[in-house]
Structure formats: structure tokens, C-alpha cells
Amino acid sequence: MSTKTITAAYSKKSLESCTDLIQDLIEGSTEFHKTFMYLEEAMKKVGGPIDMQRMSELKDLWSVSNRQLLIQKAELEFQISQLEAKEEVDAALKQHIEKAKEGRRAQS
């Protein structure tokens, strides 16, 4: 996984939208894979004019694409979790500061 921290450059909403789009690509690539599997099985059973070497190469390409999409999705999800953690820390710190101010006001 990439160690780049780019969460400050993008909003949580933007990261979530990209994650959703990547998920759509993953689901679409799964459909491609099913089609390659179907063609492969059909050609084994009944034969046909399909170049199986070419189909095998395309199936391999799908595998690489799918793996890269999954890695990208994991990186985006990590960035979202980092933003959420920062938001929680900021909220807790703000609450702590407010309590400290209230305590000082009560003492004066």
C-alpha cells in the first residue's frame, strides 16, 4: 500500500466518491471475467472460432486490472479512515478546550 498521505488535499466526500467509482469498476471487471470464463468453457466443450491464446491474455489483463483496482480502493479507504480519525481527534480536542475554558470562567 502506498505510504503517500494526500488526505489533506482531498475532502472526505471526494475520497468516498472515488471509492464508489472504483467499486463500480471492480464490479464491471468481474463481469468481464465471467465472460472470459464462459468463452473458455464453451470453446473447450464445443469448439469455435475464438483464439484461446488471445482470450487467455485478456483474462490475464483483467486479473492485473482487477488487482490494481482493489489496491487503489484499499488506499482510498485508508485515506478516508485517516480523515475520520483526524475529525474525531479534532472534535475531542475542541470539546476538551471548551471544558477548560468553562472551568476558567467558573473560577473567575
Side-chain angles (χ1 to χ4, degrees), residues 71-84:
I71 291 168
Q72 182 62 66
K73 182 181 175 200
E75 289 174 351
L76 290 168
E77 289 172 340
F78 176 74
Q79 292 174 13
I80 291 168
S81 71
Q82 292 296 98
L83 279 176
E84 289 172 346

Side-chain angles (χ1 to χ4, degrees), residues 11-76:
S11 70
K12 183 178 171 185
K13 186 174 182 175
S14 175
L15 291 169
E16 289 171 340
S17 294
C18 288
T19 301
D20 291 344
L21 290 169
I22 293 292
Q23 181 60 41
D24 290 345
L25 286 171
I26 290 167
E27 290 168 9
S29 69
T30 299
E31 291 303 311
F32 276 115
H33 182 64
K34 289 178 188 176
T35 303
F36 290 128
M37 289 173 56
Y38 175 81
L39 280 170
E40 185 175 46
E41 289 302 311
M43 294 305 104
K44 283 180 186 175
K45 291 181 179 176
V46 295
I50 302 292
D51 180 343
M52 292 313 297
Q53 176 62 35
R54 183 172 291 129
M55 290 302 110
S56 178
E57 289 172 12
L58 287 167
K59 189 175 167 186
D60 291 345
L61 181 61
W62 166 85
S63 295
V64 171
S65 297
N66 197 49
R67 185 171 40 253
Q68 292 302 313
L69 288 167
L70 290 167
I71 291 168
Q72 182 62 66
K73 182 181 175 200
E75 289 174 351
L76 290 168

